[in-house]
Amino acid sequence: MKIKISGITLGENKQYRSELKNISKLAKSMSKPNGQLQPICVDTNGELVFGLRRLEAAKSLGWKEIEAIVVDLDNPLEGIQ
């Protein structure tokens, strides 16, 4: 499913990569048709779980939406939509 990038937040207690390295190369790859091979993941509150590099690459491309998996972290097996 596609979700609005503007609604995605970064959690204070989550650990993300400290170095994102070469976002421009990833953005170039993602700009091609079918370029986003894996969705990012957010919880039901819109907080990023994983996919920070893909999110930053999408922002650099000016995307308004991105493919994402939404998961309920209280019940992860039932939360995937």
Side-chain angles (χ1 to χ4, degrees):
M1 83 172 19
K2 285 201 175 203
I3 63 170
K4 291 184 185 277
I5 288 175
S6 62
I8 300 171
T9 59
L10 300 182
E12 293 178 19
N13 297 322
K14 298 255 171 71
Q15 293 185 1
Y16 303 108
R17 292 179 184 217
S18 57
E19 293 184 36
L20 298 181
K21 296 183 183 178
N22 212 345
I23 293 296
S24 61
K25 184 176 179 181
L26 178 58
K28 183 178 178 181
S29 172
M30 286 175 57
S31 70
K32 297 176 182 175
N34 300 317
Q36 184 187 352
L37 299 178
Q38 275 191 322
I40 64 168
C41 181
V42 297
D43 67 15
T44 54
N45 296 316
E47 192 172 297
L48 186 70
V49 176
F50 63 79
L52 181 59
R53 289 188 73 241
R54 281 167 274 161
L55 177 62
E56 293 303 320
K59 287 179 182 179
S60 76
L61 292 168
W63 291 8
K64 303 295 181 204
E65 295 182 323
I66 189 167
E67 285 290 333
I69 296 169
V70 179
V71 64
D72 181 347
L73 294 178
D74 292 329
N75 195 352
L77 294 177
E78 292 182 16
I80 297 175
Q81 299 178 358

